[in-house]
Amino acid sequence: MNNTAQKVLWIALGIALLLSLVWQFAPLSDASARLNAIPLRGLDFQGRDLPLAPVEISIYSPARVLKRIYQVGRQQVIVVAIDGSRNRHAIHDPTFCFRGAGWTIGAARDLPVPGGYVRVLSLAKEGRHIEAMYWLSDGQTRHASALEYWWQTTWRRLTLGHSGAEPILFVLQPVNRESLDWELLLQEFPGLLES
């Protein structure tokens, strides 16, 4: 390696070290305000907070997690919303968790919503069939892509938060039913998509 190449390498290493220090100590805003803004009650819905199970605490900590059960019209749903800004590993493709819990993933379909789409999964386990819905949202865009989430959060860190808000992962499951009318649920509870 010649002298010029060594200088370039040392300069690149110095820049990388400097940037890593800036990213390490530059505070980025989290999504707490958006989690706090998810309404507990509304015209067609009301909810109550649910405690996290010990295994959920060990998986998500120190991420901020909202877990609630809602009555939305005639449907009951459990909503889990995760702000991974304090623990990026808490946010991942929900299909991994479903598979890890013994569910087989069947069909998946995307529902269009303002700013993108949400994904509905068909799940089966020991003769039982249910559906679940999930999406990631930065408050403007909605999608179900773990890769897109990774790009959003990486770009957000590189721009010190100027590229947009921290995405929140939403996972919804029906209570005591196989499926829900997902479109109706989102119409009757628009606050979920606004967060």
Side-chain angles (χ1 to χ4, degrees):
M1 186 180 288
N2 65 29
N3 196 19
T4 304
Q6 284 180 337
K7 285 181 184 179
V8 169
L9 184 61
W10 280 109
I11 290 171
L13 182 63
I15 291 171
L17 180 61
L18 180 65
L19 287 175
S20 69
L21 289 173
V22 169
W23 291 327
Q24 180 71 25
F25 296 109
L28 289 178
S29 62
D30 61 15
S32 289
R34 290 185 17 244
L35 282 180
N36 292 337
I38 298 171
L40 197 57
R41 291 176 178 74
L43 183 61
D44 291 325
F45 63 90
Q46 68 177 26
R48 65 179 165 85
D49 290 316
L50 295 174
L52 294 177
V55 70
E56 291 172 317
I57 293 170
S58 69
I59 291 170
Y60 297 134
S61 184
R64 178 127 188 272
V65 180
L66 176 143
K67 183 178 179 183
R68 291 182 178 160
I69 186 169
Y70 282 97
Q71 182 73 42
V72 183
R74 295 181 180 197
Q75 305 183 95
Q76 275 194 324
V77 65
I78 293 177
V79 175
V80 176
I82 306 165
D83 167 14
S85 47
R86 302 290 178 249
N87 177 5
R88 303 241 179 260
H89 301 291
I91 305 274
H92 51 273
D93 186 338
T95 60
F96 294 130
C97 286
F98 289 128
R99 285 187 182 109
W103 293 95
T104 300
I105 309 293
R109 61 182 161 69
D110 295 339
L111 301 176
V113 296
Y117 68 96
V118 299
R119 181 156 295 151
V120 177
L121 297 175
S122 296
L123 307 168
K125 176 180 175 180
E126 299 170 354
R128 184 172 173 225
H129 298 273
I130 66 166
E131 284 188 338
M133 181 169 64
Y134 73 96
W135 71 91
L136 291 138
S137 172
D138 64 4
Q140 302 295 317
T141 62
R142 284 143 203 93
H143 59 83
S145 169
L147 182 60
E148 188 171 341
Y149 166 78
W150 183 82
W151 279 114
Q152 281 179 303
T153 57
T154 300
W155 185 241
R156 185 169 185 270
R157 283 193 306 270
L158 288 172
T159 63
L160 301 176
H162 295 290
S163 65
E166 180 72 23
I168 296 173
L169 172 64
F170 290 86
V171 181
L172 283 64
Q173 291 180 269
V175 177
N176 299 324
R177 293 175 67 178
E178 289 183 0
S179 181
L180 296 175
D181 183 337
W182 298 109
E183 292 93 341
L184 180 62
L185 182 126
L186 293 175
Q187 288 172 3
E188 292 179 335
F189 192 175
L192 280 178
L193 288 175
E194 294 166 3
S195 300

